[in-house]
Amino acid sequence: MSFSYYEVAQEHVWKGGFYLALCVYAFSCAQSSGSFLTWSAIVGVFMAICFFQELALLFQRRHLPPGRYGLPLIRELLWFVIGNKMDFFAERKKKWGAIFNVSIPFTATILSEQEDLQWLFQMERKGFIKISWPATVVATLGPNAIANVFGEQHRRLRAFFQPWFSPAFVENYLGVIDVTVQEELKEWATLSSSSTLSSDVFKLFALRLFFAASFGKVDEQMLITFHDDFKTWLDGFISITGTVRVPGTRFDQAMAARERILTTIDHLIDQFEKENPEGSDLAENTVLGRCVYASGEDGLCPDRSQLKDGLLNIIFAGHDTTTGAMGSAIYHLAHQSVARDALLEEINNLFSKSTGLDMEKLKSAPVLNAIIWETMRVDPPVLAGPRRTEQELVYKNFRFPMNSLIFYSISLAATDPNAYEHRPLEFDFRRFLPKDHKLYDPTIWNHKESRDIVDPAQGRANYPIFGGGSRICLGKHFALLELRVFLVRLFQNYELSVENGTKAWLPINTWNVNFQLLKKTT
């Protein structure tokens, strides 16, 4: 870290000079034109405001985290858009330290190391910090989405949905997920016999897995329609019109898609209740069955509107993240022969092609889980989590005024060299193998206690892939089950050929690939 107040002052001096010069020029043009209400005068007023804001910020920054505010107006947005997203933040961390500001163009503080994330999650539990989605995301997710509510309402909704995604209950979904995965892989093998498939197929696949577990069956035509609406809905998360529904805009189309999606969910709930009375097998062993017939905490269960928003939120949280993890996993396995061979050996030793999968073996398979943990560490599907302060806070001598925007960086925390000393940016599945495994390499951890401190299964702040604090991902165990079954059945029954590999950063961090499957003959 090479931060100095003198260096920060230099930034403000040249920008302030730019604002002031443009302000003087604009007023000069206005005066010579004989009319004050000209565009040049308007520019002058605007630049004058910018100049005084820059001056005020200069004196405030001695108490704020370090960082650059970039060029006038666009700030650092240009460097963020055209560059490598990981490099953008990593370079600024190297320059300014573990806590730093960015302006892209909104100004936010980035927290990037374990103790800082722990502080953030602690403040959130106390109610001093809240989640902060953009207004368009809040509107498209809906007022009753778990991601949008706070306090007691959030606690009750989470308490209602959490049991049906607990490790113990997730086991009920194993059978239907296994069947769905095998059917999908068989279809892909048939399709890829003549041409390569894009990792875009994972999107519909992830939806199919969720619906199979939620409803016990899948209506294919409904699923395709739902998938198309879902894509339109997701596209509206970022819109230049904000939350104003201008006909034909992305946000307007997204809200219309949301209405269609909720109507579909409404119909599915009605149909489910008609076909599966309380106490039936599907009522007891599916997501929807447990949600529809559960009484909820203190006898209070969500109403239909809350239930629909909750289900949509869960589908959103698991859809693209699962899709991203699948793409990244097959990309890394295609390029890591040691990991691929070790996984294949383990699968052949632990799992049979002719019988169902055993949940305990899936959860304890060392190579399988090490590959999943390392895939999501190197390529976390979500790069950061947004929060906003509810009051002024002071941490490490930095002052965070009320309404300060703070992002905890999942990618930087998961590649922090203080926790991951051995080539933290590179994929090495041996990092998460148990110490008694034949492929475990003790030199990966420079300090023997580090391996015990970093525990991805616990989701600590040095491995925040599924978030942290009171808002840790509800569907974590469900997503892990999907990935485990997918990788086992894929490498157990097929030869995988992967072509290309394009990095995608937003909205989900993943590798987009083209691939082919060839059915094994033995």
Side-chain angles (χ1 to χ4, degrees):
M1 176 177 171
S2 57
F3 164 71
S4 72
Y5 189 68
Y6 173 73
E7 187 175 357
V8 169
Q10 283 184 312
E11 176 191 340
H12 287 282
V13 167
W14 76 260
K15 285 200 294 180
F18 173 84
Y19 291 139
L20 185 59
L22 193 55
C23 176
V24 171
Y25 175 74
F27 277 112
S28 175
C29 291
Q31 186 177 22
S32 63
S33 68
S35 173
F36 187 80
L37 296 178
T38 62
W39 281 110
S40 53
I42 294 173
V43 170
V45 171
F46 179 71
M47 287 301 165
I49 294 172
C50 290
F51 173 77
F52 286 108
Q53 285 183 337
E54 203 75 31
L55 190 63
L57 181 60
L58 172 63
F59 291 101
Q60 294 172 2
R61 282 185 67 179
R62 61 183 299 181
H63 301 297
L64 300 176
R68 285 198 178 93
Y69 284 77
L71 296 171
L73 302 182
I74 66 170
R75 305 295 188 182
E76 295 184 285
L77 183 61
L78 182 62
W79 287 270
F80 178 77
V81 171
I82 66 175
N84 180 304
K85 303 302 181 291
M86 284 285 286
D87 288 347
F88 176 88
F89 292 105
E91 289 169 359
R92 281 148 184 79
K93 178 182 178 180
K94 183 177 180 181
K95 174 71 175 177
W96 304 108
I99 302 176
F100 58 94
N101 275 343
V102 295
S103 296
I104 49 176
F106 57 84
T107 300
T109 298
I110 307 297
L111 304 184
S112 64
E113 293 186 357
Q114 180 178 359
E115 65 174 331
D116 307 321
L117 270 64
Q118 288 173 332
W119 169 80
L120 182 76
F121 297 147
Q122 182 183 24
M123 292 299 100
E124 185 174 29
R125 282 192 291 269
K126 292 180 177 180
F128 300 153
I129 289 176
K130 290 185 178 180
I131 197 165
S132 180
W133 297 110
T136 50
V137 175
V138 172
T140 48
L141 282 177
N144 297 309
I146 298 175
N148 286 337
V149 297
F150 305 98
E152 183 64 15
Q153 187 181 4
H154 175 261
R155 189 187 68 81
R156 285 183 174 275
L157 277 177
R158 189 175 179 89
F160 176 81
F161 283 104
Q162 193 164 22
W164 325 132
F165 294 94
S166 66
F169 198 82
V170 161
E171 187 171 352
N172 293 313
Y173 313 137
L174 175 56
V176 69
I177 286 178
D178 190 15
V179 170
T180 305
V181 166
Q182 292 191 69
E183 290 176 349
E184 190 79 8
L185 291 174
K186 183 179 179 181
E187 176 70 14
W188 290 352
T190 301
L191 294 173
S192 65
S193 62
S194 56
S195 63
T196 60
L197 297 178
S198 164
S199 52
D200 283 344
V201 299
F202 296 149
K203 295 178 181 179
L204 185 59
F205 178 39
L207 275 180
R208 183 173 285 110
L209 287 174
F210 180 83
F211 273 86
S214 297
F215 300 95
K217 62 180 181 179
V218 177
D219 181 325
E220 287 299 322
Q221 186 56 52
M222 179 279 300
L223 188 66
I224 293 172
T225 301
F226 193 98
H227 173 264
D228 293 340
D229 283 338
F230 199 77
K231 184 178 183 302
T232 302
W233 177 70
L234 287 172
D235 286 342
F237 275 30
I238 301 175
S239 172
I240 60 173
T241 62
T243 56
V244 178
R245 289 192 65 170
V246 179
T249 61
R250 292 172 66 176
F251 179 73
D252 179 63
Q253 293 173 353
M255 293 302 290
R258 167 184 159 78
E259 292 162 5
R260 293 193 298 270
I261 290 170
L262 293 181
T263 299
T264 300
I265 294 177
D266 216 13
H267 170 72
L268 289 171
I269 293 174
D270 289 338
Q271 185 177 1
F272 185 92
E273 289 179 323
K274 181 179 179 180
E275 297 177 355
N276 303 282
E278 187 172 2
S280 64
D281 180 62
L282 290 182
E284 293 294 322
N285 297 304
T286 61
V287 175
L288 188 63
R290 301 302 296 184
C291 288
V292 166
Y293 294 114
S295 60
E297 188 185 57
D298 300 328
L300 298 175
C301 60
D303 59 26
R304 178 64 71 92
S305 177
Q306 291 174 321
L307 180 59
K308 290 190 295 183
D309 273 3
L311 288 171
L312 180 56
N313 195 160
I314 292 168
I315 296 171
F316 156 68
H319 174 264
D320 273 9
T321 52
T322 302
T323 297
M326 288 178 177
S328 295
I330 68 170
Y331 171 83
H332 287 297
L333 286 169
H335 293 84
Q336 301 284 339
S337 59
V338 174
R340 186 174 61 252
D341 293 344
L343 177 61
L344 184 57
E345 179 183 356
E346 180 175 90
I347 289 172
N348 290 335
N349 290 335
L350 288 180
F351 305 103
S352 170
K353 293 183 179 181
S354 58
T355 60
L357 297 175
D358 181 87
M359 188 66 167
E360 290 306 314
K361 288 183 178 179
L362 284 172
K363 291 165 61 177
S364 61
V367 175
L368 172 65
N369 287 287
I371 287 171
I372 290 174
W373 297 135
E374 183 69 349
T375 294
M376 292 194 290
R377 186 193 70 84
V378 175
D379 290 303
V382 179
L383 293 173
R387 299 292 188 269
R388 190 177 295 276
T389 58
E390 289 292 292
Q391 63 184 58
E392 181 175 275
L393 297 174
V394 177
Y395 176 65
K396 289 188 174 180
N397 296 321
F398 296 130
R399 181 175 293 125
F400 299 94
M402 182 177 176
N403 287 324
S404 294
L405 186 59
I406 301 176
F407 281 81
Y408 66 91
S409 175
I410 295 173
S411 56
L412 289 180
T415 55
D416 179 14
N418 294 321
Y420 304 93
E421 302 97 338
H422 175 76
R423 296 183 297 179
L425 299 179
E426 297 181 24
F427 181 97
D428 191 336
F429 78 104
R430 298 173 301 166
R431 196 184 314 273
F432 293 118
L433 288 174
K435 294 179 180 179
D436 59 354
H437 194 278
K438 64 181 181 179
L439 294 179
Y440 178 76
D441 182 355
T443 64
I444 288 178
W445 302 94
N446 294 351
H447 305 289
K448 62 180 181 180
E449 66 271 15
S450 296
R451 178 61 183 91
D452 300 320
I453 294 172
V454 177
D455 185 357
Q458 295 299 318
R460 294 171 179 162
N462 52 28
Y463 191 89
I465 307 304
F466 294 96
S470 60
R471 290 183 177 272
I472 193 167
C473 178
L474 268 175
K476 170 183 176 180
H477 301 289
F478 184 80
L480 290 173
L481 175 61
E482 291 177 313
L483 288 171
R484 286 165 175 153
V485 175
F486 170 67
L487 290 176
V488 168
R489 291 309 194 190
L490 171 63
F491 286 93
Q492 183 183 60
N493 297 297
Y494 299 92
E495 297 288 347
L496 173 68
S497 174
V498 175
E499 299 178 3
N500 305 321
T502 304
K503 187 64 175 177
W505 300 102
L506 294 172
I508 293 296
N509 177 42
T510 186
W511 285 93
N512 293 325
V513 298
N514 295 322
F515 68 95
Q516 286 184 297
L517 298 183
L518 177 64
K519 179 70 175 178
K520 292 181 178 179
T521 57
T522 57

